[in-house]
Amino acid sequence: MKSFSIDRFSKLARWSLTIDKKYHVKSFFQNLIVLTLTFVFFTSIDFTVNQQDANYLPCAIATVVAFAVTLVLGSSFMFYSMSGKHDMQRLLMLPASNLEKYLMRYASWIILVPIQLVAFFAADLIQYVFGLVVGHEQVKLVTNAVIETCQADMPLSYRMTFVWLFVWLHSLYAVGATFFRFRKHNWIATSLVLIVVGILLSALAGHWQNVNMLWWNNQDYFNLLFLALVVVNFWLSYRFFCRTQVIGKYINV
């Protein structure tokens, strides 16, 4: 069997989308309800002309954080739609290569981004209509506040640093998704590991100034280092996936 076949992968994708349909619908309504309640709550607190921007700012921040969490933790959602070992057994028995199965499970979180985006626009429209109905003055869309927040002045080097940090963390959660067997809580185990590692690294706080100087003086080299780490993390994630067994306790080794 070839490692990758477009025809076989397309059949696997159609099967996965059918199986995960209920999970995606549930995710849409969860995002819609949470975002709607958040927008209506903040835009209804002491709503005056002077407070308008102050009220919409928390909505924009909540939206940015929600999407950032999805982008960073998304790789840990590979198996969220699976309810038990029987679903995993069915996945492992599918007539497809491990690479195709891994790519499909990884891609399953990407579908959450447009779902969350549609839920955001729907929640924004609901809060807009709600504001008009109850008589709020100068009602506006949260979308405008989000755009203004994202357009805040920030050096390009800082933006690239955040991008690389997010991508690196995303790859680490991909490792945790296939290393830990807690399918719906692997992100918690991964986060705990990262916290412990962060605490240990904080003991080297005296050297952070030197590292910071090296970063800004050799940013291109550090970008290549981050890229190499991301590639290694995804390779490890795939290798752990290949070692997945139906029967097991905590980790795939």
Side-chain angles (χ1 to χ4, degrees):
M1 179 185 292
K2 294 190 298 183
S3 297
F4 187 84
S5 168
I6 296 179
D7 180 62
R8 195 168 57 224
F9 184 75
S10 62
K11 293 179 180 178
L12 176 62
R14 289 195 296 270
W15 178 86
S16 298
L17 290 174
T18 301
I19 296 299
D20 297 346
K21 180 180 179 180
K22 182 178 179 181
Y23 166 69
H24 291 145
V25 172
K26 179 181 177 181
S27 298
F28 169 77
F29 283 105
Q30 285 178 337
N31 280 281
L32 177 62
I33 293 173
V34 171
L35 290 174
T36 299
L37 293 177
T38 301
F39 295 166
V40 171
F41 173 76
F42 281 111
T43 56
S44 298
I45 299 177
D46 191 23
F47 200 102
T48 63
V49 176
N50 294 331
Q51 289 292 326
Q52 181 178 359
D53 291 336
N55 288 350
Y56 277 99
L57 181 59
C59 298
I61 294 175
T63 301
V64 172
V65 170
F67 277 94
V69 169
T70 299
L71 294 175
V72 173
L73 300 183
S75 56
S76 66
F77 302 155
M78 289 188 198
F79 309 108
Y80 258 47
S81 59
M82 297 183 177
S83 58
K85 65 179 182 180
H86 297 294
D87 287 344
M88 180 59 70
Q89 183 179 22
R90 181 170 53 180
L91 173 66
L92 296 178
M93 294 180 64
L94 288 174
S97 67
N98 285 333
L99 178 60
E100 292 165 344
K101 296 173 186 176
Y102 176 80
L103 290 177
M104 190 59 239
R105 293 320 308 170
Y106 173 78
S108 63
W109 80 267
I110 300 177
I111 304 174
L112 297 177
V113 177
I115 289 176
Q116 190 173 18
L117 189 62
V118 173
F120 161 70
F121 286 128
D124 195 9
L125 182 60
I126 292 174
Q127 72 82 23
Y128 185 83
V129 174
F130 176 82
L132 293 176
V133 170
V134 299
H136 289 166
E137 298 182 25
Q138 298 186 11
V139 179
K140 71 175 184 179
L141 294 172
V142 178
T143 303
N144 296 330
V146 172
I147 294 175
E148 293 172 0
T149 301
C150 294
Q151 289 178 341
D153 292 336
M154 180 182 294
L156 179 61
S157 56
Y158 280 86
R159 292 181 182 270
M160 291 305 301
T161 299
F162 279 113
V163 169
W164 276 117
L165 180 62
F166 276 28
V167 173
W168 176 63
L169 289 174
H170 178 85
S171 66
L172 287 175
Y173 280 101
V175 175
T178 54
F179 178 73
F180 296 108
R181 297 185 60 84
F182 318 115
R183 295 188 181 94
K184 294 191 176 182
H185 304 288
N186 62 73
W187 66 272
I188 297 178
T190 306
S191 298
L192 291 175
V193 172
L194 292 177
I195 291 173
V196 172
V197 173
I199 292 175
L200 294 177
L201 290 178
S202 65
L204 304 175
H207 301 283
W208 286 124
Q209 184 176 0
N210 295 332
V211 173
N212 189 43
M213 293 178 61
L214 286 173
W215 168 263
W216 296 116
N217 294 332
N218 304 278
Q219 192 168 356
D220 291 338
Y221 293 104
F222 273 90
N223 289 339
L224 292 176
L225 176 61
F226 266 109
L227 177 61
L229 291 175
V230 169
V231 171
V232 170
N233 287 337
F234 276 109
W235 177 81
L236 285 174
S237 177
Y238 172 67
R239 297 308 301 172
F240 288 136
F241 176 80
C242 292
R243 299 179 66 88
T244 300
Q245 298 179 0
V246 176
I247 300 176
K249 289 188 176 182
Y250 305 113
I251 59 176
N252 293 317
V253 291

